[in-house]
Amino acid sequence: MLDAIYRAAHDRIATLAGELTDDQLRIPVPATPGWSVHEVLAHLVGGAADVLAQRLDGVPGDSWTARHVAERRHRPVAELLDEWQNASPAVESSLPEKHTGPNLAADVICHEADLREALGLSRTDREHWQPFLDVMGYYPGRRLRDTGTLVISDELGQQWRCGSGESVTELRADGYELLRGVFSRRSRRQIAAWDWSPEPSAQLVDGFGAFGPRDDDQPIPAA
């Protein structure tokens, strides 16, 4: 399943990137560490190329991703897309059959949304990101299991329940927004503004994202 998800996301991003102007490629991507659209593409290509070359020292740390950008910052998009096309089969074959943790399929889905939000585009269809929500919806509750019970519900009625404490906190939110929050793509203020009952503790808000809390509000795309 993950190989097909990665392949489809690669194809969507490649098509989008091939249509962008130079000005659009220079647009900052708020969700990332100061990268432009072009530099997010450089990271995605670099990750795939490293899998092909088995150059995996430092995975998945900041120095690993920064090297992808540094090595490709000045290369034209067409050249990046050719490199990605060549490396993608290696990534696909390396992916597990099920989403069991961080991997490049989750990375490409996350960064696809980063790019679309930065460019002011609508979100992708739910079928593309739902498999990651299915699994990652449990993340906040598992991380905070000692503080009580957390029950999360999305707009379709899907539910994630974690913890065994007597104190119960309920959260109702849009599924896309939940996933972006778990990917640390929503700010403390944005997460706290969701439909919580009772109001969440600072610890719960700060622990919601897998990559830590953030204070900069992120653009929210149209459904």
Side-chain angles (χ1 to χ4, degrees), residues 49-57 94:
D50 277 1
V51 172
L52 178 63
Q54 288 298 291
R55 188 183 182 189
L56 302 176
D57 292 344
S94 74

Side-chain angles (χ1 to χ4, degrees), residues 55-77:
R55 188 183 182 189
L56 302 176
D57 292 344
V59 175
D62 292 344
S63 61
W64 187 68
T65 59
R67 177 172 54 75
H68 301 156
V69 175
E71 292 176 347
R72 295 168 177 81
R73 179 173 283 121
H74 303 296
R75 290 169 56 182
V77 167

Side-chain angles (χ1 to χ4, degrees), residues 96-111:
E97 291 186 4
K98 296 181 180 180
H99 176 50
T100 55
N103 57 60
L104 292 191
D107 192 56
V108 74
I109 289 296
C110 181
H111 286 310

Side-chain angles (χ1 to χ4, degrees), residues 117-194:
E117 289 176 6
L119 292 164
L121 302 175
S122 62
R123 65 178 71 167
T124 59
D125 292 340
R126 190 181 186 103
E127 64 189 80
H128 301 317
W129 47 265
Q130 179 68 53
F132 297 98
L133 178 62
D134 291 341
V135 175
M136 296 184 71
Y138 289 104
Y139 177 86
R142 285 176 176 167
R143 184 171 183 180
L144 299 167
R145 60 185 177 274
D146 294 335
T147 66
T149 296
L150 175 62
V151 181
I152 302 175
S153 303
D154 71 5
E155 78 282 14
L156 299 183
Q158 186 172 5
Q159 190 174 94
W160 299 263
R161 184 184 185 96
C162 286
S164 57
E166 294 182 2
S167 174
V168 178
T169 299
E170 296 184 1
L171 168 62
R172 290 168 292 276
D174 175 84
Y176 175 86
E177 288 299 296
L178 287 172
L179 183 61
R180 296 299 282 160
V182 175
F183 275 134
S184 294
R185 262 52 183 183
R186 294 294 180 261
S187 69
R188 287 183 170 99
R189 189 197 68 81
Q190 288 174 312
I191 292 172
W194 291 342

